[in-house]
Amino acid sequence: MEDRVRVVIAEDSVLLREGLTRLLTDRGHDVVAGVGDGEALIKTIGELDDQGELPDVVVADVRMPPTHTDEGVRAAVQLRKAHPGLGVLVLSQYVEERYATELLAGSSRGVGYLLKDRVAEVREFVDAVVRVAEGGTALDPEVVAQLLGRSRKQDVLAHLTPREREVLGLMAEGRTNSAIARQLVVSDGAVEKHVSNIFLKLGLSPSDGDHRRVLAVLTYLNS
C-alpha cells in the first residue's frame, strides 16, 4: 500500500467525484472533502488550513462551473501560491498546453497534470496522487509529448540527442532512473549518464538539488 495521504477532490461531475473518492479510499487514503467548483475548493482549503488540517494534495478538474473554462486550474494556481507545500494534481479531458504551462510555471514541487483517461489505470493514477502529495511530479505522457514537441523548435534542444530527449520525457512523467531503465531496456548506469548529460546541457548545476529533474522540463517550457 502507498503511503497514506489526505486528499481534497474538486470535480463538478458527482459520478466522477465519487469514483475518484472510491479509488483513493480503497487504497487506504483519506478523502477529507469533495467540492464541485473552484470557489468552493479555495474556500474549503482555507477552512481546513484554519483548522490546522491542510490536506497533502488537491485533485482538481481543469474546467469547472460556472463557465467550464479554466476555473479549476485558476484555483490550483492560486492555491499553490497561497500554500506552497500543498500538492496539486489537475485532471483534463484534453491536453491544454496553456494550462499545463501555467501550472508548471511556479514552484517545481508537488505538481501534476493528467488526462482523465489515465484515471482508468488505477494503479498509475493513485501512484501519481501519492507522488504529488509527497512533493514529486506527475505529468501525463501525452502532456509531455506535446510540450516537448513544441519545444523542439527551440535552440535549447539542439544539443540533446534523441535518446536524451526520450529520457527527459520519461523523467517528466515522474519516473525514477530505474523505471526509465526498465522502459528503455538499458542499464541504470546508462540512464544515469543520460540524465547527467541532460542536466549539463541545460545548465542545471548540482546546487539545484533534486528538483533538477523538473527544472529540466521547465527549461524547455521557458526557452
Side-chain angles (χ1 to χ4, degrees), residues 173-187:
E173 292 172 24
R175 297 176 188 264
T176 64
N177 284 2
S178 295
I180 293 173
R182 290 194 298 271
Q183 178 74 17
L184 300 180
V185 194
V186 298
S187 69

Side-chain angles (χ1 to χ4, degrees), residues 194-207:
H194 288 312
V195 172
S196 294
N197 287 339
I198 290 169
F199 292 157
L200 179 64
K201 292 177 180 180
L202 295 183
L204 299 173
S205 69
S207 63

Side-chain angles (χ1 to χ4, degrees), residues 31-85:
V31 177
V32 297
V35 299
D37 60 71
E39 184 177 340
L41 173 60
I42 292 173
K43 179 180 179 181
T44 297
I45 294 300
E47 291 173 347
L48 290 171
D49 187 35
D50 290 341
Q51 299 166 13
E53 298 179 356
L54 193 68
D56 300 302
V57 60
V58 166
V59 177
D61 190 359
V62 166
R63 299 172 180 266
M64 289 194 291
T67 67
H68 293 279
T69 55
D70 61 357
E71 284 84 358
V73 74
R74 292 291 181 191
V77 170
Q78 183 174 332
L79 288 174
R80 282 177 60 75
K81 291 179 179 178
H83 309 281

Side-chain angles (χ1 to χ4, degrees), residues 9-221:
I9 298 175
E11 166 60 57
D12 62 293
S13 167
V14 175
L15 183 61
L16 181 54
R17 187 166 71 236
E18 292 301 319
L20 294 175
T21 299
R22 180 65 180 272
L23 289 179
L24 292 167
T25 55
D26 281 353
R27 290 278 183 169
H29 302 297
D30 296 324
V31 177
V32 297
V35 299
D37 60 71
E39 184 177 340
L41 173 60
I42 292 173
K43 179 180 179 181
T44 297
I45 294 300
E47 291 173 347
L48 290 171
D49 187 35
D50 290 341
Q51 299 166 13
E53 298 179 356
L54 193 68
D56 300 302
V57 60
V58 166
V59 177
D61 190 359
V62 166
R63 299 172 180 266
M64 289 194 291
T67 67
H68 293 279
T69 55
D70 61 357
E71 284 84 358
V73 74
R74 292 291 181 191
V77 170
Q78 183 174 332
L79 288 174
R80 282 177 60 75
K81 291 179 179 178
H83 309 281
L86 176 66
V88 173
L89 173 63
V90 299
L91 303 178
S92 179
Q93 191 70 38
Y94 311 102
V95 178
E96 302 181 81
E97 293 184 17
R98 179 168 63 88
Y99 297 150
T101 303
E102 184 173 7
L103 186 68
L104 292 165
S107 170
S108 60
R109 288 185 56 84
V111 61
Y113 188 113
L114 297 181
L115 295 182
K116 288 187 174 180
D117 288 347
R118 203 66 57 186
V119 176
E121 300 172 21
V122 177
R123 179 72 190 191
E124 288 191 20
F125 169 69
V126 177
D127 283 349
V129 172
V130 174
R131 190 158 64 246
V132 171
E134 294 177 344
T137 307
L139 297 183
D140 193 284
E142 290 298 323
V143 175
V144 173
Q146 287 204 26
L147 294 178
L148 296 188
R150 181 190 64 186
S151 299
R152 286 193 177 100
K153 300 176 183 178
Q154 304 295 335
D155 291 340
V156 71
L157 292 176
H159 301 296
L160 291 187
T161 67
R163 175 63 92 180
E164 288 166 355
R165 293 175 184 173
E166 189 174 11
V167 169
L168 178 56
L170 294 170
M171 286 165 54
E173 292 172 24
R175 297 176 188 264
T176 64
N177 284 2
S178 295
I180 293 173
R182 290 194 298 271
Q183 178 74 17
L184 300 180
V185 194
V186 298
S187 69
D188 287 1
V191 173
E192 291 174 3
K193 182 177 180 180
H194 288 312
V195 172
S196 294
N197 287 339
I198 290 169
F199 292 157
L200 179 64
K201 292 177 180 180
L202 295 183
L204 299 173
S205 69
S207 63
D208 291 315
D210 295 336
H211 303 317
R212 286 192 296 175
R213 300 179 77 86
V214 178
L215 290 173
V217 177
L218 296 180
T219 298
Y220 283 125
L221 302 181

